[in-house]
Amino acid sequence: MNLLQSLLNLPEPLMGAIGALLITLGMLPVAAMLVLWERIFLGKLTQRPGPNRVGPRGLLQTIADALKLLTKEDFTPKDADRILFFLAPLIFIVPSFLVFAVVPFGHFGGTHGPVLIADLRTGIFFMVAVFSLHTVGILMAGWASNNKYSLLGGIRGVAQAISYELPLIFSFLGILILSGSMSTVDIIKAQGGGLHNWFFLAQPVAFLVYLACSVAEVNRVPFDIPEAESELVSGFNTEYSGMRFAMFFLAEYVSLFATAAIATIVFLGGWLAPFPEPAVITGSTLGYFFWSAGWFLLKVFTLVTLAMWVRGTLPRLRADQLMDFAWKFLVPVVLVNLFVTGLLALWGRWAVAGGLWLALLLWALYGQSRAAKAERRQVVY
C-alpha cells in the first residue's frame, strides 16, 4: 500500500495493522458470498432449486444461517481438553487470513506500487509456511474433543496435509526458477507482456498439480476425508457447535479464496490483463486500481467456481486412493516437471513448454486407450 501510506503519512506498523483489519473485515462478506454462490451454483449444476426461501431469490439465506449459528448453544464436551478445544478453531482460522498479508490485490499504476500489506522477498515461502499451520488446528480439534471420530478425522487431516503439501511446494519451484524471485510482486511482474507470458502456459503440469493439491489442502471434495460425513459423523469438528463450528466453516471458504488467489498470482498473472491496458486506464491512478483489482478478482472467482464444480461432480476418494494419488502420482510427476523446468531455463521457455503440452496430450490419449481396452476385455454374463 505504498500510495495509501504516502497519502495518510502513517508509520508502517500502523499501516500494517490497518491493512490487517481491512482484510479481516473484507473477507467476512466475501466468505458469506462464496457460501451463497456455491449453493446457487451447485443447485443449478444438479438441477435443484438451491436457496429460494429467505429474501429475494434466497439472497439472504447466508445471513439467516449466520444468525442461527450465533444463537445456537456453544457447549464443550465433559471430558474434552478445554484449553486445546478453545484454541483449535482460532489456530485453524488465523492462518487463512494471514496469507493475505502478501497478496497484491491490484496496482495503482506507474510508480505508485501494488495494493498489499507487505512485499516480502520471501512471499511464497511465507504463504506456504503460514498456510500449513491450519493442520495444527485440525489435529488439536480432533485430539481435544475426546471423541474417536474427531481423532480419526484429525489424524486423517494431518496425513493428507503432509502428503499434498510436498507436491504443492514442488509445483512452486519451477515458477521460482523462471521468475528468479520469491516475491509475489516480482512473480506477477515476470508475467507481464500479455497472456503468452503467464506461467500456466510455461508450467502446465505444475499448474494442474497445484490445483489438485490446493483442493486437498482445504479439505474439499474429493479430498474431504478428514470430514467424511458417511464415515466420521463430521470428522475433526464433530463436537463443535455454534460460533466455534462457524469458525471452521468460515475458514474453509477463506482458505478456498486464498488458494485461488495464490494460483492467480503464481500462474495467471495476478492483476495483469491478458491484453494491453487502454490508455484511458493507464492514465488514471484510481482507474488502473479498479482495472487491475477487477482482473485479479475475476481470475480468483473463476478458480473458486472451478473448485465448486469439482465438488458437485466427483465422488469422495477412499483414504488409500488419496494417499496413492499423492505419493505415487503427483510427487513423481512434479519432480519430473522440476527437472524439465531446469532444462527450460537453459534451452528456452517455448521449446520445453511445447514438449510438456505434447507429453500431457500423449498421456491423456494413452490413458483413454487403456480404458477402452479394459472395457473391451470385460465379459458380460
Side-chain angles (χ1 to χ4, degrees):
M1 295 183 178
N2 299 331
L3 179 62
L4 291 179
Q5 188 171 358
S6 62
L7 292 176
L8 298 177
N9 195 24
L10 294 176
E12 188 171 346
L14 184 57
M15 283 298 301
I18 294 175
L21 179 62
L22 291 177
I23 287 176
T24 302
L25 296 178
M27 286 309 301
L28 294 177
V30 168
M33 185 187 67
L34 291 181
V35 174
L36 179 63
W37 169 238
E38 181 168 36
R39 298 179 70 173
I40 294 174
F41 179 74
L42 292 182
K44 299 295 184 183
L45 191 66
T46 56
Q47 297 182 347
R48 292 182 289 109
N52 60 358
R53 296 295 181 183
V54 184
R57 296 183 178 274
L59 295 179
L60 301 180
Q61 183 64 56
T62 304
I63 297 176
D65 293 339
L67 294 175
K68 179 189 70 174
L69 289 173
L70 282 170
T71 56
K72 290 187 70 173
E73 180 184 4
D74 187 11
F75 64 89
T76 303
K78 178 182 177 182
D79 297 325
D81 188 321
R82 293 182 176 273
I83 296 177
L84 296 183
F85 191 83
F86 172 77
L87 291 177
L90 298 176
I91 295 178
F92 186 78
I93 194 173
V94 168
S96 302
F97 287 92
L98 285 178
V99 170
F100 292 101
V102 293
V103 171
F105 291 92
H107 201 282
F108 287 114
T111 60
H112 296 303
V115 184
L116 81 167
I117 296 178
D119 182 15
L120 301 180
R121 289 183 296 177
T122 56
I124 293 297
F125 178 79
F126 175 83
M127 284 181 169
V128 173
V130 168
F131 207 74
S132 63
L133 292 177
H134 81 280
T135 308
V136 180
I138 293 177
L139 184 59
M140 285 177 61
W143 171 262
S145 298
N146 193 31
N147 179 300
K148 61 182 179 181
Y149 297 114
S150 300
L151 181 59
L152 283 173
I155 294 174
R156 282 184 174 188
V158 173
Q160 177 173 312
I162 294 174
S163 301
Y164 282 86
E165 279 178 8
L166 188 62
L168 185 144
I169 294 172
F170 282 146
S171 69
F172 287 150
L173 295 182
I175 303 300
L176 302 184
I177 293 174
L178 296 180
S179 64
S181 174
M182 297 179 68
S183 167
T184 54
V185 175
D186 292 342
I187 290 175
I188 293 176
K189 290 180 178 179
Q191 302 175 70
L195 176 65
H196 61 281
N197 288 324
W198 291 2
F199 286 146
F200 84 98
L201 291 175
Q203 289 282 284
V205 175
F207 180 53
L208 295 176
V209 169
Y210 174 82
L211 291 181
C213 294
S214 63
V215 174
E217 282 294 303
V218 295
N219 300 324
R220 291 179 62 87
V221 177
F223 305 104
D224 65 332
I225 61 169
E227 308 174 37
E229 295 88 352
S230 60
E231 305 168 16
L232 303 177
V233 185
S234 185
F236 62 90
N237 57 21
T238 298
E239 298 291 352
Y240 285 89
S241 63
M243 280 308 297
R244 293 181 185 176
F245 173 80
M247 293 175 69
F248 284 109
F249 193 72
L250 173 66
E252 177 182 335
Y253 285 89
V254 175
S255 299
L256 178 61
F257 189 89
T259 55
I262 295 172
T264 299
I265 293 168
V266 176
F267 296 102
L268 300 179
W271 69 74
L272 299 174
F275 47 81
E277 296 85 358
V280 66
I281 297 296
T282 55
S284 170
T285 300
L286 191 61
Y288 192 84
F289 164 70
F290 285 110
W291 171 268
S292 60
W295 277 108
F296 181 84
L297 293 177
L298 176 63
K299 298 172 187 176
V300 170
F301 280 107
T302 300
L303 293 177
V304 168
T305 304
L306 177 62
M308 295 176 180
W309 190 0
V310 170
R311 176 184 178 180
T313 305
L314 299 179
R316 177 185 300 125
L317 296 176
R318 297 196 314 264
D320 61 313
Q321 293 174 331
L322 188 141
M323 294 294 110
D324 288 346
F325 183 64
W327 292 103
K328 295 181 180 179
F329 181 76
L330 291 182
V331 171
V333 165
V334 78
L335 286 176
V336 172
N337 178 74
L338 183 59
F339 173 75
V340 174
T341 304
L343 299 179
L344 184 152
L346 294 175
W347 293 345
R349 171 182 299 186
W350 293 112
V352 182
L356 288 176
W357 280 108
L358 179 60
L360 277 176
L361 178 61
L362 294 176
W363 176 75
L365 293 175
Y366 175 70
Q368 186 177 7
S369 64
R370 287 193 61 184
K373 290 180 180 178
E375 185 176 356
R376 286 196 297 267
R377 288 173 184 165
Q378 290 180 354
V379 178
V380 179
Y381 294 98

